[in-house]
Amino acid sequence: MLFSLLCRDNLTVKVMGRSNIQKYCSLLLLFLAIAIKVSANQHVQRVLLPPIHRIEFLQARQLSDSEGNIESVLIPLKRVGRLFLIEASVDGQTGNFVFDTGADKMVLNKTYFRNNLMTTTESGGGLTGNSQIIYITQVKEIVASELIFGNQTADVTDLGQIENRRKSKILGLFGMSLFTNMHLEIDLRNATLRLSRLNKSGVPENKQITSFSGDFIGKIHLVKRVMFLEGAIGGKTLDFCLDTGAESNVMSSSAPKRVMESITISSRSDLTGVGGANAEVLFGTMNNFVLGTLKLGPMQTIVASLTSISQAYDYPVSGILGFDFFDQGVISINLVTREFSFFLHREKNENNN
């Protein structure tokens, strides 16, 4: 969600405030980018690019049991700042993809996939009432060791701002469409993503992998393929988007008073977009976040309006759980049964208590 909506709008934002909050600018850009897109669309010109033949996860490797049965595929993640990248090749061109569970689909960087355009037009929305160009393509095959995914649709947009900020070659991002009917184990502390294919009943096809028994076991629900999880702050239960592409947690500025009282505010900033839109954003620490009966340690948090993001998802978003949440434990998700398990990193949370 972060990159696919941010970069299409070519949004320029001026941040006024303390220098120590600059590392969060990429996430803050998201709010204004979505706000502009949701409120002003009138007409879209779709530009169809030639298909991508093959994307391959270069470091993916299969894991087998003692009898040689394939259990799962392990994909190393590369940390760059507060983002996690997957090394991959696209039709022989090597680079990185952002691992982004807040995006519903794959996005490719237009810088590397812009030749030989084929144009079709349909009614939709334009940024300012004029025709807006949206690029799309079809990926015929994605390979992660023994896992093969076919026929994925991808948006193609400019990710140059992300490349410049992180000094890494970004070919695109992997969103949730790639992980349908999969079991995910996300361990950002050890920088690994583990995938297992599930049958229609939510059982791994090799029948060797099951969700681990975590410190918290609950259920997620999906909105446009994006995962949401209930958590409590200040005794109030809220619905949070799970977003590995978010460099900080985000709390809605419209949250109840007792929720806001649980957040320690350290600074604030004003954002101004080229269209003149203004937004105030607060920076602080989220305290007393609870999953079931499991209390997590303090997490860095942004407080801002999530109205436009809620409109983009067509669903009320109370908050976003990003890097600071995923860094606290190992997360296991069955995307068929919707089972969610969280295994806490003890040393980090004990040090915070």
Side-chain angles (χ1 to χ4, degrees):
M1 194 67 171
L2 171 58
F3 303 111
S4 58
L5 292 176
L6 162 61
C7 297
R8 277 186 191 160
D9 295 327
N10 194 26
L11 182 68
T12 300
V13 175
K14 178 181 180 182
V15 179
M16 300 184 297
R18 300 180 181 181
S19 59
N20 67 338
I21 63 177
Q22 294 295 321
K23 60 185 177 181
Y24 298 119
C25 287
S26 64
L27 183 59
L28 300 179
L29 289 172
L30 167 65
F31 304 136
L32 291 178
I34 296 177
I36 292 172
K37 173 172 284 296
V38 169
S39 63
N41 283 349
Q42 295 297 324
H43 185 266
V44 165
Q45 181 183 22
R46 288 196 184 276
V47 179
L48 179 64
L49 300 178
I52 301 296
H53 295 285
R54 181 184 174 92
I55 296 178
E56 183 175 1
F57 294 55
L58 295 180
Q59 302 299 322
R61 59 185 178 88
Q62 68 182 44
L63 300 178
S64 303
D65 61 21
S66 58
E67 297 179 355
N69 300 310
I70 299 174
E71 291 188 339
S72 57
V73 169
L74 189 71
I75 301 172
L77 302 174
K78 178 167 61 177
R79 179 175 174 178
V80 179
R82 286 172 155 242
L83 295 177
F84 284 84
L85 310 181
I86 298 173
E87 187 177 4
S89 67
V90 181
D91 286 347
Q93 182 170 206
T94 302
N96 301 287
F97 280 77
V98 178
F99 173 45
D100 187 359
T101 60
D104 66 336
K105 66 174 70 172
M106 184 186 306
V107 177
L108 297 175
N109 191 347
K110 188 173 66 174
T111 299
Y112 306 106
F113 310 103
R114 66 195 316 163
N115 297 326
N116 304 322
L117 305 185
M118 297 176 291
T119 305
T120 61
T121 304
E122 63 180 54
S123 61
L127 198 58
T128 60
N130 298 319
S131 178
Q132 180 195 6
I133 296 177
I134 294 180
Y135 300 92
I136 59 173
T137 190
Q138 192 77 11
V139 180
K140 293 185 175 181
E141 183 179 69
I142 302 173
V143 178
S145 186
E146 299 301 313
L147 292 176
I148 299 177
F149 310 87
N151 298 319
Q152 291 279 322
T153 299
D155 287 349
V156 183
T157 192
D158 183 10
L159 301 182
Q161 296 183 53
I162 310 304
E163 287 193 305
N164 294 337
R165 185 172 60 86
R166 289 306 179 198
K167 309 301 181 185
S168 297
K169 184 177 180 180
I170 304 295
L171 296 178
L173 67 86
F174 287 123
M176 287 299 296
S177 63
L178 188 65
F179 306 117
T180 302
N181 299 329
M182 301 291 292
H183 179 278
L184 309 183
E185 184 178 296
I186 303 169
D187 185 357
L188 296 192
R189 179 74 61 86
N190 293 305
T192 58
L193 170 64
R194 185 175 178 180
L195 302 177
S196 299
R197 198 182 296 277
L198 303 173
N199 63 24
K200 293 181 180 180
S201 300
V203 177
E205 292 181 349
N206 54 42
K207 299 184 180 180
Q208 300 295 317
I209 302 296
T210 58
S211 298
F212 55 75
S213 56
D215 296 288
F216 168 78
I217 298 176
K219 292 280 189 176
I220 62 165
H221 65 99
L222 301 182
V223 177
K224 295 184 177 179
R225 291 187 292 225
V226 175
M227 299 181 290
F228 282 78
L229 176 71
E230 288 189 349
I233 304 178
K236 179 68 174 178
T237 300
L238 301 170
D239 216 8
F240 291 88
C241 171
L242 297 175
D243 189 352
T244 57
E247 298 186 55
S248 173
N249 290 353
V250 187
M251 193 68 241
S252 172
S253 56
S254 63
K257 181 179 179 180
R258 59 178 170 171
V259 172
M260 298 302 294
E261 289 174 345
S262 296
I263 299 176
T264 304
I265 302 301
S266 58
S267 62
R268 64 185 63 216
S269 185
D270 293 324
L271 298 182
T272 303
V274 294
N278 295 300
E280 181 183 54
V281 178
L282 307 178
F283 299 83
T285 302
M286 179 185 293
N287 304 296
N288 302 320
F289 181 85
V290 178
L291 290 175
T293 60
L294 177 66
K295 181 179 178 180
L296 273 63
M299 297 181 284
Q300 293 180 346
T301 301
I302 293 170
V303 180
S305 172
L306 295 182
T307 300
S308 297
I309 295 178
S310 297
Q311 291 174 341
Y313 283 125
D314 194 24
Y315 184 81
V317 181
S318 301
I320 297 172
L321 296 176
F323 173 85
D324 295 276
F325 173 76
F326 285 91
D327 188 50
Q328 296 216 32
V330 180
I331 291 171
S332 174
I333 304 169
N334 185 314
L335 285 169
V336 175
T337 65
R338 309 289 196 261
E339 181 186 51
F340 175 94
S341 300
F342 189 93
F343 186 85
L344 193 67
H345 291 309
R346 297 293 177 188
E347 71 285 356
K348 180 180 180 66
N349 284 272
E350 288 172 357
N351 291 336
N352 288 325
N353 293 329

